[in-house]
Amino acid sequence: MSQQLIPGYTYGTHEVPRSPVTIEEFELLKQAVLFTDEDARHLQLSEKVLEDQVEAVLDVWYGFIGSLPQLLYYFTRPDGQADGAYLAAVRKRFAQWIRDTARANYDQSWLDYQYEIGLRHHRTGKNTTDHVNSVANIGFRYLFPLIFPVTITLKPFLAKKGHSAEVVEKMQQAWVKSLLLQITLWSQPYIKPGDF
Amino acid sequence: MSQQLIPGYTYGTHEVPRSPVTIEEFELLKQAVLFTDEDARHLQLSEKVLEDQVEAVLDVWYGFIGSLPQLLYYFTRPDGQADGAYLAAVRKRFAQWIRDTARANYDQSWLDYQYEIGLRHHRTGKNTTDHVNSVANIGFRYLFPLIFPVTITLKPFLAKKGHSAEVVEKMQQAWVKSLLLQITLWSQPYIKPGDF
Ligand code: HEM
Ligand code: HEM
């Protein structure tokens, strides 16, 4: 899917600010989470596995968010109703994010876009991409806990193309590591100056 | 092990400040990470499994921290050398933390002590418990990534008492969920006011 088809998806463009985390610092982070080339390869394998299942995965994830009022809240309008257009606009970028995560080309452009995604969850940038009138900031507290439901529900999809239990496990673990790294990067705008 | 035997372990005492997160808010967090009573039971099962393996587990975890300069750094003195007394003092509380996590009695006292642990990682309270002269603040960036090495290296220990692969998996997943919750609570002092 080309970028123009996804409104607000600015990955790789000049609209994306520079990440405050350098590639060298990111390498140190990867060591701490045990992320290796083997993980990158398993993510890339998962790209092929998930290719034709992206919408089905998103149905499950959106179903989970829709089932918990404390999460759906962040997609609501001032009248308290969920903003369907907002959910739909984000969903298109979410689909692309699945591909980008699996592609595992974690270079400077990718790092910069992680900063942008963090800004979009934080009050600095939330709602501006889709020009919506919604809750100002996503509470930091929910960012990391969501890693569990997201990665556990991914597992059956990873298992659908006949890979061994061991390979499925490795793909899933690579997703967990990548998410711990990504949400850490996304957290930067939430952290007090000097404490990150 | 009784509290008096662990210097600086103030769990359940009046020295511990009140958690800024209420029990009701914590319940909402548990839903987001899919933490249920079944997880509490699996943690409690892991308490018995780990009982006589705590020191062996800590050898592995301390070995990992010692192997990465970017992590060991937070235990160093102004001369750049690791502070052995600091490492040893923290290790005693770390052993007790394994038991407390596995006991899974996540009530108000526990919640309050999670806030205290957060303060001790953050510049607000670091170094004061052990009266050491070390780096002022643990970088937020490393807190969540450490969940992966900690929980993946726990698995062989969880498997050592003859439980089925399925039960071992469930114990490990309960640990992952508990850690996502705990490190989220510990992060509170790092977050800008109003953004948590
Ligand atoms: C594992 C944790 C999470 C992942 C992987 C994730 C993923 C994403 C992605 C890929 C986007 C689109 C980024 C883009 O614009 O290109 C996004 C945006 C968004 N997410 Fe998350 N998210 C997570 C946690 C949360 C939580 C806990 C909430 C709270 C309900 C949430 C609510 C939103 C909202 C409201 C947006 C739109 C923000 C805007 O106005 O631009 N996310 N998320
Ligand atoms: C999964 C993540 C982590 C867990 C489970 C963990 C666990 C603990 C525990 C249980 C304690 C003792 C708490 C008490 O005083 O009762 C502690 C203290 C400490 N931890 Fe962590 N920790 C984590 C991340 C980190 C990281 C990334 C570092 C950086 C090397 C770190 C360095 C320290 C230090 C220096 C102390 C002593 C703080 C003080 O009181 O001065 N921890 N940790």
Side-chain angles (χ1 to χ4, degrees), chain B residues 8-9 65 71-72 74-75 86 90 93-94 97 113 117 120-121 125-130 138 142-143 146-147 150 179 183 186:
Chain B
Y9 179 68
I65 291 172
L71 296 181
L72 191 58
Y74 296 106
F75 286 99
Y86 187 25
V90 173
R93 300 196 296 278
F94 217 124
W97 171 85
Y113 199 60
I117 295 181
R120 291 180 185 189
H121 283 82
K126 190 172 180 286
N127 305 330
T128 57
T129 304
D130 304 302
I138 296 165
Y142 289 119
L143 293 180
L146 213 68
I147 293 178
V150 160
L179 276 176
I183 316 296
W186 300 0

Side-chain angles (χ1 to χ4, degrees), chain B residues 1 6-7 53-63 75 83-99 130:
Chain B
M1 200 182 272
I6 307 174
Q53 304 188 85
V54 167
E55 290 305 318
V57 170
L58 286 173
D59 283 344
V60 173
W61 291 350
Y62 265 63
F75 286 99
D83 184 333
Y86 187 25
L87 281 158
V90 173
R91 184 173 166 130
K92 289 206 185 89
R93 300 196 296 278
F94 217 124
Q96 182 58 39
W97 171 85
I98 294 178
R99 295 182 197 100
D130 304 302

Side-chain angles (χ1 to χ4, degrees), chain B residues 107-170:
Chain B
D107 59 6
Q108 185 68 49
S109 298
W110 178 85
L111 207 53
D112 294 343
Y113 199 60
Q114 300 322 300
Y115 179 48
E116 173 70 18
I117 295 181
L119 293 170
R120 291 180 185 189
H121 283 82
H122 185 252
R123 64 177 75 253
T124 323
K126 190 172 180 286
N127 305 330
T128 57
T129 304
D130 304 302
H131 314 287
V132 291
N133 186 2
S134 182
V135 178
N137 180 63
I138 296 165
F140 168 84
R141 67 184 69 187
Y142 289 119
L143 293 180
F144 283 95
L146 213 68
I147 293 178
F148 192 87
V150 160
T151 53
I152 201 78
T153 56
L154 196 62
K155 211 168 177 183
F157 294 103
L158 294 171
K160 250 181 200 157
K161 300 292 166 70
H163 293 89
S164 70
E166 198 197 324
V167 169
V168 169
E169 179 78 12
K170 284 194 170 163

Side-chain angles (χ1 to χ4, degrees), chain A residues 71 75 86 90 93-94 97 113 120-121 127 138 142 186:
Chain A
L71 297 181
F75 286 98
Y86 188 25
V90 174
R93 300 196 297 276
F94 216 124
W97 170 86
Y113 198 61
R120 292 181 184 189
H121 283 83
N127 306 330
I138 295 166
Y142 290 119
W186 300 0

Side-chain angles (χ1 to χ4, degrees), chain A residues 25 28-29 31-32 70 122-123 140-142 144 148-149 152 173 177 184 189-192 194-196, chain B residues 25 28-29 31-32 70 122-123 140-142 144 148-149 152 173 177 184 189-192 194-196:
Chain A
E25 292 176 303
L28 297 178
L29 268 187
Q31 294 173 357
Q70 66 269 46
H122 186 252
R123 63 177 75 254
F140 167 84
R141 67 184 68 186
Y142 290 119
F144 284 96
F148 192 87
I152 202 78
Q173 286 180 356
K177 294 179 195 182
T184 293
Y190 288 85
I191 304 296
K192 292 175 185 163
D195 289 352
F196 184 76
Chain B
E25 292 176 303
L28 297 178
L29 268 187
Q31 293 173 359
Q70 66 268 50
H122 185 252
R123 64 177 75 253
F140 168 84
R141 67 184 69 187
Y142 289 119
F144 283 95
F148 192 87
I152 201 78
Q173 286 181 353
K177 294 179 193 182
T184 294
Y190 288 84
I191 304 296
K192 292 175 185 163
D195 289 352
F196 182 77

Side-chain angles (χ1 to χ4, degrees), chain A residues 11 14 25 27 29 37 59 69 72 75 83 89 100 132 137 172 174 192 196:
Chain A
Y11 190 150
H14 289 297
E25 292 176 303
E27 287 301 320
L29 268 187
D37 290 346
D59 283 344
L72 191 58
F75 286 98
D83 185 332
D100 292 337
V132 291
N137 180 62
Q172 201 225 7
K192 292 175 185 163
F196 184 76

